[in-house]
Amino acid sequence: MTTEEMQKNLEKVFAERFGGEGNVYASAGRINLIGEHTDYNGGFVFPGAIDKVIMAVVRPNGMEKVRVFSVDIDQYVEFGLREEDAPKESWARYIFGICREIQKRGGDVKGFDAVFAGNVPLGAGLSSSAALESCFAFALNDLFNGNSIDKFELAKIGQSTEHNYCGVNCGIMDQFASVFGRKGNLMRLDCRSMEYEYFPFNPDGYRLVLVDSRVKHELADSPYNKRRESCERVAKRLGIETLRDATMEDLEKIKGDITAEDFFRAKFVIEEKDRVLAVCDALNAGDYETVGKKMYETHNGLSKDYEVSCEELDFLNDVAKEMGVTGSRIMGGGFGGCTINLLPDSLHDSFVKEVCARFNEKYGHEPQIYDVVISDGARLVKEAPKA
Ligand code: ADP
Ligand code: MG
């Protein structure tokens, strides 16, 4: 369903359920072009919002309660604004959480009616949950707070919602990207200072395609915690807070004092930081070939040094390379999920066809393909006519 069709349908459903019209809001899922496993090392991430959104029609209802209908899940939930307990439906917990987190910060939330739907694939690594959070955070800021809550706070409201109501201990990148996203721009977020900068992403003649392996390897020994611990050990040995402040020369100097495993983990993180900066320069110069090259280097580092890849993702990367895809790498934490691919327009159809066929032949199911375009984040799509 296109975003326009979704909007039409939502307006219709809103009218049937609540009568009349409301404001239409949307917020986006996100990709991360480069900068993986860097957030907890004080480094950079490089996300952008995409043309897949959660959209909601929202209108104050003059009551002390929230009434929401999820079109995709076909469920209706009501909760009071002073209620202690979050709803049991997982999607409603996000909305409940956003209300609570705004109130906790002294913001205003009054009763409202809403219907919402989305085309961000769920659980595919595109952060549908952040899109949902920022759509409602943006809407409630606009409707009840005169947009006085700043955008960074909106992102934090989404993040706190995940922490406090959804049991997900996430960083800030997803919500940041969803709130701040801007068409034709990626954002470099410094996870130490929280400073950010927009970079042009107008890859004329190229496309971004995600290939979702639809595998998720559950690993017993908390590999993510182990990676973090390696990074922390090396930082400590270097007498710095995070690997953000380390260079390869620093690392080489202590090579004899740390395990080979810790060495390679830290090597990846240090090199990844430099790759993000190199990609920024390349984007400013419109040099997408270099961007692609850096993406391959990231994949290689994630696979060989950081060891968070898996057979399926390495296979997808190999096929991409063989076919002349400009850049390809694991996106997200690893051990399954997607690769993100930058490729010439002319290669798109043959790549998609071949990667699906070859993956299917080897692993018994086709990967899911998502074409994405870098687009706007949280926004007011349409204002309802004044009553
Ligand atoms: P993701 O990686 O996509 O963020 P999560 O598991 O964090 O995956 O979030 C998915 C959850 O977000 C769903 O279980 C649901 O509660 C909510 N959600 C996302 N998209 C929708 C939608 N279109 N309609 C209803 N709920 C949604
Ligand atoms: Mg999520």
Side-chain angles (χ1 to χ4, degrees), residues 2 13 18 36 71 97 118 122 271 352 356:
T2 66
V13 174
F18 300 113
E36 214 62 78
V71 172
L122 276 68
E271 290 177 346
V352 166
C356 287

PDB file of all heavy atoms in Angstrom, residues 2 13 18 36 71 97 118 122 271 352 356:
ATOM      1  N   THR A   2       0.604   2.180  -0.877  1.00  0.00           N
ATOM      2  CA  THR A   2       1.397   3.411  -0.877  1.00  0.00           C
ATOM      3  C   THR A   2       0.994   4.264   0.323  1.00  0.00           C
ATOM      4  O   THR A   2      -0.071   4.057   0.932  1.00  0.00           O
ATOM      5  CB  THR A   2       1.148   4.251  -2.146  1.00  0.00           C
ATOM      6  OG1 THR A   2      -0.202   4.714  -2.112  1.00  0.00           O
ATOM      7  CG2 THR A   2       1.383   3.443  -3.412  1.00  0.00           C
ATOM      8  N   VAL A  13     -11.375   5.389   7.935  1.00  0.00           N
ATOM      9  CA  VAL A  13     -11.594   4.613   9.159  1.00  0.00           C
ATOM     10  C   VAL A  13     -11.853   5.549  10.339  1.00  0.00           C
ATOM     11  O   VAL A  13     -12.729   5.292  11.181  1.00  0.00           O
ATOM     12  CB  VAL A  13     -10.382   3.686   9.446  1.00  0.00           C
ATOM     13  CG1 VAL A  13     -10.536   2.997  10.796  1.00  0.00           C
ATOM     14  CG2 VAL A  13     -10.211   2.662   8.340  1.00  0.00           C
ATOM     15  N   PHE A  18     -14.933   7.531  14.657  1.00  0.00           N
ATOM     16  CA  PHE A  18     -15.082   8.667  15.577  1.00  0.00           C
ATOM     17  C   PHE A  18     -15.889   9.821  14.974  1.00  0.00           C
ATOM     18  O   PHE A  18     -16.248  10.746  15.685  1.00  0.00           O
ATOM     19  CB  PHE A  18     -13.697   9.180  15.994  1.00  0.00           C
ATOM     20  CG  PHE A  18     -12.851   8.152  16.699  1.00  0.00           C
ATOM     21  CD1 PHE A  18     -11.699   7.646  16.107  1.00  0.00           C
ATOM     22  CD2 PHE A  18     -13.200   7.672  17.954  1.00  0.00           C
ATOM     23  CE1 PHE A  18     -10.914   6.706  16.756  1.00  0.00           C
ATOM     24  CE2 PHE A  18     -12.418   6.733  18.613  1.00  0.00           C
ATOM     25  CZ  PHE A  18     -11.273   6.238  18.014  1.00  0.00           C
ATOM     26  N   GLU A  36      28.393   0.975  12.727  1.00  0.00           N
ATOM     27  CA  GLU A  36      27.699  -0.110  13.428  1.00  0.00           C
ATOM     28  C   GLU A  36      28.494  -0.471  14.685  1.00  0.00           C
ATOM     29  O   GLU A  36      29.731  -0.467  14.663  1.00  0.00           O
ATOM     30  CB  GLU A  36      27.611  -1.311  12.484  1.00  0.00           C
ATOM     31  CG  GLU A  36      26.367  -2.132  12.636  1.00  0.00           C
ATOM     32  CD  GLU A  36      25.076  -1.385  12.334  1.00  0.00           C
ATOM     33  OE1 GLU A  36      24.750  -1.188  11.148  1.00  0.00           O
ATOM     34  OE2 GLU A  36      24.385  -1.010  13.297  1.00  0.00           O
ATOM     35  N   VAL A  71      -5.262  -0.102  12.805  1.00  0.00           N
ATOM     36  CA  VAL A  71      -5.876  -0.645  11.590  1.00  0.00           C
ATOM     37  C   VAL A  71      -5.199  -1.958  11.185  1.00  0.00           C
ATOM     38  O   VAL A  71      -5.865  -2.924  10.820  1.00  0.00           O
ATOM     39  CB  VAL A  71      -5.780   0.390  10.440  1.00  0.00           C
ATOM     40  CG1 VAL A  71      -6.224  -0.209   9.118  1.00  0.00           C
ATOM     41  CG2 VAL A  71      -6.616   1.617  10.784  1.00  0.00           C
ATOM     42  N   GLY A  97       3.078   4.695  26.701  1.00  0.00           N
ATOM     43  CA  GLY A  97       4.404   5.148  27.153  1.00  0.00           C
ATOM     44  C   GLY A  97       4.702   6.575  26.725  1.00  0.00           C
ATOM     45  O   GLY A  97       5.209   7.380  27.515  1.00  0.00           O
ATOM     46  N   GLY A 118       0.624   1.441   9.292  1.00  0.00           N
ATOM     47  CA  GLY A 118       2.001   1.664   8.862  1.00  0.00           C
ATOM     48  C   GLY A 118       2.427   0.757   7.730  1.00  0.00           C
ATOM     49  O   GLY A 118       1.777  -0.250   7.441  1.00  0.00           O
ATOM     50  N   LEU A 122       7.632  -4.827  10.256  1.00  0.00           N
ATOM     51  CA  LEU A 122       7.860  -5.039  11.687  1.00  0.00           C
ATOM     52  C   LEU A 122       9.027  -5.991  11.913  1.00  0.00           C
ATOM     53  O   LEU A 122       9.088  -7.044  11.285  1.00  0.00           O
ATOM     54  CB  LEU A 122       6.618  -5.664  12.338  1.00  0.00           C
ATOM     55  CG  LEU A 122       5.493  -4.712  12.766  1.00  0.00           C
ATOM     56  CD1 LEU A 122       4.806  -4.089  11.580  1.00  0.00           C
ATOM     57  CD2 LEU A 122       4.503  -5.465  13.638  1.00  0.00           C
ATOM     58  N   GLU A 271      38.427   1.469  13.429  1.00  0.00           N
ATOM     59  CA  GLU A 271      38.365   1.632  11.970  1.00  0.00           C
ATOM     60  C   GLU A 271      36.977   2.100  11.515  1.00  0.00           C
ATOM     61  O   GLU A 271      36.859   2.867  10.563  1.00  0.00           O
ATOM     62  CB  GLU A 271      38.727   0.312  11.279  1.00  0.00           C
ATOM     63  CG  GLU A 271      40.200  -0.029  11.438  1.00  0.00           C
ATOM     64  CD  GLU A 271      40.574  -1.373  10.827  1.00  0.00           C
ATOM     65  OE1 GLU A 271      39.676  -2.180  10.504  1.00  0.00           O
ATOM     66  OE2 GLU A 271      41.781  -1.615  10.684  1.00  0.00           O
ATOM     67  N   VAL A 352      18.137  -8.107  -7.604  1.00  0.00           N
ATOM     68  CA  VAL A 352      17.040  -8.599  -6.766  1.00  0.00           C
ATOM     69  C   VAL A 352      16.658 -10.020  -7.178  1.00  0.00           C
ATOM     70  O   VAL A 352      16.494 -10.920  -6.347  1.00  0.00           O
ATOM     71  CB  VAL A 352      15.821  -7.648  -6.851  1.00  0.00           C
ATOM     72  CG1 VAL A 352      14.576  -8.294  -6.286  1.00  0.00           C
ATOM     73  CG2 VAL A 352      16.129  -6.341  -6.118  1.00  0.00           C
ATOM     74  N   CYS A 356      17.592 -13.296  -4.704  1.00  0.00           N
ATOM     75  CA  CYS A 356      16.460 -14.079  -4.173  1.00  0.00           C
ATOM     76  C   CYS A 356      16.582 -15.540  -4.591  1.00  0.00           C
ATOM     77  O   CYS A 356      16.433 -16.455  -3.773  1.00  0.00           O
ATOM     78  CB  CYS A 356      15.125 -13.513  -4.661  1.00  0.00           C
ATOM     79  SG  CYS A 356      14.699 -11.956  -3.866  1.00  0.00           S
TER      80      CYS A 356
END
